[in-house]
Amino acid sequence: MLYPTPIAKLIDSFSKLPGIGIKTATRLAFYTIAMADEDVNDFAKNLLAAKRDLTYCSVCGNLTDEDPCDICTDENRDRTVLLIVEDSKDVSAMEKIQEYHGLYHVLHGLISPMNGVGPDDINLKTLITRLMDSDIQEVIIATNATADGEATAMYISRVLKPAGIKVTRLARGLAVGSDIEYADEVTLLRAIENRTEL
Ligand SMILES: [Zn+2]
């Protein structure tokens, strides 16, 4: 089916988003052109601003509009505990339960031997530097309960243990293969309360 170029391009843009096939992309594109001018303007502005104004915190790697981020600079957070997650969405999930008050470290990926992703390919170097000069006594590894999540947890625990840092892992309340990001609050709360030492 041939559409005028502007809408064909819009369909193409939508179809690049995850989980959006060509059918949904077409529906979204037609919906967008039927929207009020003001709403379309806001949409475009928000897209550009999100891309322009957000950066990764140079300390923890979390997505932020200020570097260092709000969490890293918050004097009231417990600076002796550090929770390691795969990405920024996991930070939001943990913050939502309002039960964890320590610091974070965002890996931006997981070690995946199957896919050739090694320790140098994720945000681990800054973690080591960070730990060398800090008050952190416990590192909680909160990677997902998948093969890659396990491989990453094992690697981190192997590296940190000789440095005398207590390394724990979220409890098995989380189903194997499940995503921290989608865990319900009670499950997540239990997982952090019942964390086990590695
Ligand atoms: Zn930060």
Side-chain angles (χ1 to χ4, degrees):
M1 208 184 307
L2 273 182
Y3 292 118
T5 307
I7 192 150
K9 282 186 170 174
L10 191 55
I11 293 170
D12 186 48
S13 293
F14 276 123
S15 70
K16 285 180 178 148
L17 299 174
I20 309 257
I22 199 75
K23 250 171 124 176
T24 308
T26 306
R27 194 163 54 82
L28 291 173
F30 275 93
Y31 183 83
T32 308
I33 49 172
M35 278 162 65
D37 284 357
E38 194 192 333
D39 291 339
V40 176
N41 266 325
D42 284 347
F43 186 25
K45 263 195 287 182
N46 291 341
L47 274 179
L48 292 170
K51 187 69 187 162
R52 185 191 58 222
D53 299 338
L54 289 172
T55 180
Y56 294 112
C57 173
S58 57
V59 180
C60 71
N62 195 15
L63 200 60
T64 178
D65 56 354
E66 267 173 273
D67 186 22
C69 73
D70 283 354
I71 296 175
C72 286
T73 51
D74 187 345
E75 299 279 324
N76 296 316
R77 306 226 32 143
D78 180 354
R79 295 186 172 272
T80 63
V81 202
L82 184 79
L83 192 126
I84 301 184
V85 292
E86 179 182 350
D87 61 36
S88 295
K89 288 178 295 216
D90 298 331
V91 174
S92 307
M94 288 305 301
E95 285 300 285
K96 233 188 281 166
I97 63 173
Q98 297 186 327
E99 201 59 36
Y100 175 74
H101 306 292
L103 303 173
Y104 289 95
H105 193 83
V106 183
L107 296 173
H108 299 296
L110 293 173
I111 295 172
S112 177
M114 295 285 285
N115 297 306
V117 184
D120 292 342
D121 301 316
I122 60 176
N123 186 27
L124 267 177
K125 251 182 239 137
T126 53
L127 172 69
I128 314 292
T129 351
R130 201 178 163 190
L131 288 172
M132 284 197 301
D133 189 31
S134 76
D135 300 324
I136 292 159
Q137 290 160 13
E138 180 184 356
V139 165
I140 307 168
I141 304 176
T143 49
N144 294 333
T146 57
D148 292 347
E150 290 305 321
T152 308
M154 282 305 136
Y155 179 86
I156 294 172
S157 115
R158 252 201 341 257
V159 172
L160 298 188
K161 268 198 164 163
I165 296 166
K166 184 179 175 188
V167 183
T168 56
R169 176 100 170 92
L170 284 198
R172 298 281 144 208
L174 294 167
V176 171
S178 71
D179 265 13
I180 306 283
E181 184 191 341
Y182 301 118
D184 66 85
E185 294 180 13
V186 178
T187 307
L188 209 47
L189 193 58
R190 245 181 240 146
I192 192 160
E193 277 170 357
N194 301 326
R195 63 188 184 269
T196 48
E197 189 156 358
L198 283 180

